[in-house]
Amino acid sequence: MCSMIRLQTVIFLCVQFFVLNLNGQFDDSSNSTTCYTNKFNPEFEFNSNNIDTCVSSLEIKVKYQGKPVYAYWSDGEASINRKVYYSGSYQLYFLDSLKCLDTSVVLNITLKGNPISVYSQNGAEEITLCKGNFVTIYAYHTEEIVWNTGETSSYITVEKGGPYYAKSKSNKSCVITSDTIHVTVVEPKVVSVKITGDSTFCLNDSCTLEADTKDSDIYWYPYGNYGNKITVKYPGVYYFYNKDSVYGCNIKSQEINIKVKTPEIFNLCMITNDSGTAKNKLVWESKAWVTKYQVFRETNISGEFELLAELKGASQDSYIDTSSQPRSRPYTYYIDAFDSCGNSAFENRYYRHTTLHLTANLGVSGENNLNWSDYVGIYPINSYNVYRSNDNKSFVKITSLSSSVKSFSDFNPPKGSNRYYIGIDAPNNCSSSGSTALVSNTVAFGILSDTRLSADVISVSPNPITDVFTIQGPWVPKSLKIYTAAGTFVQQINPEMDARYHIGHLSSGVYLLEFSGNFRVKIVKI
């Protein structure tokens, strides 16, 4: 049993003090000088003036002597015996008939049993949660708390089912446990999607997606359409949302990945001057997905193109424009490539190449003047190289110029006939072109006609050829290769002096003989 604590005696002091009468109102004579007394001698049933307890409320009982006219507490409570619900400092005042005040000692109370208040967003203690959603649960207490999840914040975000509650931490080993909020997570059945058609289809085709449910309140993503069925024309991941009729949960259907066979953009690698035919040769990287190529050439109207040739098969990687006249002007081309759906990319027509065109004139001082146009379609072009051949010998690079320069004068050309062409140093990512170089048409000084360009070098006899032919010339070529008229390699022959070459096994048609990689001669097999 708790011992009684006697209040300390205080000395009488004269001060101005406002006094309450027995009706709880201020006395009109409260401006008079008030005295202090200790005649009521109040005592509390505690063994200390500082109460630290693990309860949420505390009963205070007071023993005193005599008959006070009035009594009240420092927090305004007028009842002598009372109950305290909050931690704090409390002091009791007694007043006698002479308006002398008897004060008790201060009673400091700390209550560590305050209940922990836990609540959810909607105030419910039993919560049903749709899978994928969450609910926030809050807790309030005067001390630090710890949740059964291990978190110590004033609120937690819950996504999983189970009981959730909080406990207080106390340095007096007082552990207060809150009420429990129960969370149940439900997972409605996922609705499937039926596909009519193929999920992978050609450009401009479509398929139909249909929700396997009778619910009409369906929202499709990414279309934003409502309804059980939609028609899909574009690639992407498609699914829909609807509400579960039991729990009201938003249900996401299975995802359907739609793929559209979009034709790839196709670009030429280069357009060069073919050494055998002296015609424009288009070179590109063959692609396995291509079913056919179409070659387009610009007409005499700017921006207008005509179909020049159609080549079937993915293995095609070059084409010789036999109708071109490279010495007369530059030409502009593009390639259209078609996939297995029969579609081609509209952008192909913008990936155009314009040939490098070389012209020449004799200067007043006997110099050979060269002028050429820009090659368009490869970026960046680093430099232009000038090549020269004297008296039908091999071409040799005589100078290299910045790509900003478009002319060159050869002031000291060697005596005899001289031929020239321009080559380009530029990036070339076309592996199928092999060692093919991007060069211009050839111009000549000291040569009367195009016939002399090849006639003085080497000749083939007979031509047309039934089976056997021979070659005549001032030198024996190091290599001899046979190509089709379209530039496809057929076979290689090792040249010998006065040799007779057999091609009876070849099909009838036009072929090109390439000598040492320098030039070609057209032959006809009959």
Side-chain angles (χ1 to χ4, degrees):
M1 185 162 180
C2 298
S3 62
M4 301 294 292
I5 301 175
R6 188 170 187 82
L7 296 177
Q8 297 176 350
T9 303
V10 298
I11 64 173
F12 286 100
L13 295 174
C14 293
V15 296
Q16 296 293 322
F17 195 83
F18 292 99
V19 181
L20 294 171
N21 60 26
L22 292 177
N23 293 322
Q25 302 296 324
F26 282 105
D27 196 309
D28 292 339
S29 60
S30 60
N31 287 331
S32 61
T33 301
T34 304
C35 60
Y36 288 90
T37 180
N38 60 356
K39 67 179 180 180
F40 297 111
N41 200 18
E43 294 180 345
F44 299 94
E45 293 182 343
F46 303 108
N47 58 6
S48 173
N49 294 342
N50 298 308
I51 307 302
D52 193 345
T53 179
C54 294
V55 296
S56 59
S57 62
L58 184 66
E59 288 280 354
I60 300 177
K61 293 184 179 181
V62 183
K63 290 185 178 182
Y64 54 92
Q65 299 174 0
K67 295 181 179 181
V69 176
Y70 189 76
Y72 65 93
W73 291 86
S74 57
D75 63 348
E77 176 68 37
S79 175
I80 298 176
N81 296 321
R82 60 167 304 178
K83 197 170 187 178
V84 175
Y85 295 93
Y86 303 100
S87 299
S89 297
Y90 297 84
Q91 189 169 24
L92 177 62
Y93 299 93
F94 285 103
L95 194 67
D96 63 10
S97 59
L98 298 176
K99 299 180 181 179
C100 289
L101 195 65
D102 190 352
T103 60
S104 69
V105 292
V106 175
L107 190 59
N108 296 313
I109 299 176
T110 302
L111 302 178
K112 293 186 176 178
N114 292 337
I116 302 173
S117 175
V118 292
Y119 53 95
S120 63
Q121 290 169 291
N122 57 11
E125 295 182 357
E126 298 288 336
I127 299 173
T128 299
L129 197 64
C130 298
K131 185 178 181 181
N133 293 345
F134 64 88
V135 64
T136 302
I137 300 177
Y138 302 86
Y140 174 77
H141 195 253
T142 55
E143 296 184 39
E144 185 181 6
I145 58 104
V146 58
W147 293 87
N148 61 321
T149 61
E151 298 171 82
T152 58
S153 60
S154 60
Y155 64 91
I156 57 174
T157 300
V158 174
E159 295 180 346
K160 297 180 180 180
Y164 293 89
Y165 56 86
K167 291 184 177 182
S168 67
K169 290 182 177 181
S170 172
N171 56 12
K172 290 184 68 66
S173 300
C174 298
V175 178
I176 307 300
T177 303
S178 71
D179 293 334
T180 300
I181 293 180
H182 293 274
V183 176
T184 302
V185 176
V186 296
E187 184 178 1
K189 181 181 178 181
V190 176
V191 182
S192 61
V193 179
K194 178 184 176 182
I195 305 176
T196 302
D198 199 330
S199 60
T200 300
F201 50 80
C202 296
L203 183 68
N204 300 322
D205 288 344
S206 64
C207 71
T208 301
L209 303 182
E210 184 176 359
D212 188 16
T213 176
K214 296 181 180 179
D215 185 6
S216 60
D217 188 16
I218 291 177
Y219 174 80
W220 289 89
Y221 178 89
Y223 267 11
N225 288 355
Y226 289 89
N228 287 73
K229 185 186 297 185
I230 61 171
T231 299
V232 176
K233 296 182 178 180
Y234 305 103
V237 177
Y238 291 81
Y239 52 89
F240 67 83
Y241 287 102
N242 70 317
K243 283 190 177 294
D244 170 60
S245 59
V246 178
Y247 303 105
C249 298
N250 285 326
I251 306 174
K252 178 184 175 183
S253 73
Q254 68 183 112
E255 295 184 350
I256 304 297
N257 189 11
I258 300 296
K259 298 179 181 179
V260 176
K261 297 177 181 178
T262 304
E264 298 182 33
I265 296 175
F266 196 83
N267 189 10
L268 280 166
C269 292
M270 68 172 74
I271 304 175
T272 188
N273 189 264
D274 181 61
S275 60
T277 63
K279 303 295 184 179
N280 290 333
K281 181 179 181 180
L282 289 71
V283 180
W284 60 85
E285 181 77 27
S286 63
K287 300 293 183 181
W289 56 266
V290 178
T291 58
K292 69 176 179 180
Y293 302 93
Q294 288 185 343
V295 181
F296 288 86
R297 185 177 71 186
E298 190 174 39
T299 67
N300 59 348
I301 300 175
S302 177
E304 180 182 279
F305 285 79
E306 61 181 348
L307 177 62
L308 196 62
E310 184 171 283
L311 310 174
K312 294 184 178 180
S315 61
Q316 299 286 345
D317 60 8
S318 64
Y319 172 77
I320 296 177
D321 181 7
T322 57
S323 65
S324 63
Q325 299 294 330
R327 295 186 63 193
S328 64
R329 65 180 182 90
Y331 289 80
T332 300
Y333 301 84
Y334 74 83
I335 294 286
D336 219 358
F338 292 80
D339 60 18
S340 58
C341 296
N343 295 321
S344 64
F346 179 82
E347 295 84 354
N348 290 343
R349 67 195 63 192
Y350 300 117
Y351 287 82
R352 304 166 182 173
H353 285 238
T354 301
T355 59
L356 180 64
H357 179 232
L358 174 64
T359 60
N361 61 79
L362 186 63
V364 295
S365 300
E367 71 274 14
N368 295 335
N369 295 321
L370 307 177
N371 294 276
W372 57 92
S373 62
D374 275 317
Y375 184 93
V376 179
I378 295 179
Y379 304 95
I381 294 176
N382 301 317
S383 59
Y384 289 108
N385 302 315
V386 180
Y387 293 84
R388 182 180 64 199
S389 169
N390 177 250
D391 287 337
N392 297 320
K393 295 183 178 66
S394 299
F395 280 90
V396 177
K397 183 170 73 173
I398 60 174
T399 188
S400 182
L401 304 169
S402 167
S403 60
S404 62
V405 177
K406 304 297 185 300
S407 63
F408 174 74
S409 296
D410 189 3
F411 277 94
N412 297 298
K415 294 181 179 181
S417 61
N418 290 291
R419 294 179 295 157
Y420 298 85
Y421 69 79
I422 305 298
I424 291 178
D425 283 341
N428 178 15
N429 298 320
C430 190
S431 59
S432 67
S433 66
S435 59
T436 303
L438 199 166
V439 298
S440 71
N441 56 289
T442 301
V443 296
F445 292 88
I447 298 177
L448 296 179
S449 66
D450 286 341
T451 305
R452 290 284 305 278
L453 290 175
S454 59
D456 287 351
V457 178
I458 203 163
S459 62
V460 177
S461 179
N463 193 9
I465 306 168
T466 303
D467 179 16
V468 178
F469 70 93
T470 61
I471 57 175
Q472 294 85 34
W475 49 276
V476 178
K478 295 181 180 179
S479 65
L480 178 62
K481 296 179 181 179
I482 302 177
Y483 293 85
T484 65
T488 302
F489 176 75
V490 176
Q491 73 177 79
Q492 181 168 328
I493 301 173
N494 294 323
E496 298 178 7
M497 183 69 71
D498 300 324
R500 293 165 58 84
Y501 304 101
H502 295 266
I503 58 170
H505 60 285
L506 296 181
S507 301
S508 299
V510 178
Y511 293 87
L512 300 173
L513 295 182
E514 182 182 85
F515 300 92
S516 301
N518 291 324
F519 61 91
R520 293 177 179 179
V521 173
K522 180 166 59 177
I523 61 174
V524 178
K525 168 67 173 59
I526 58 176

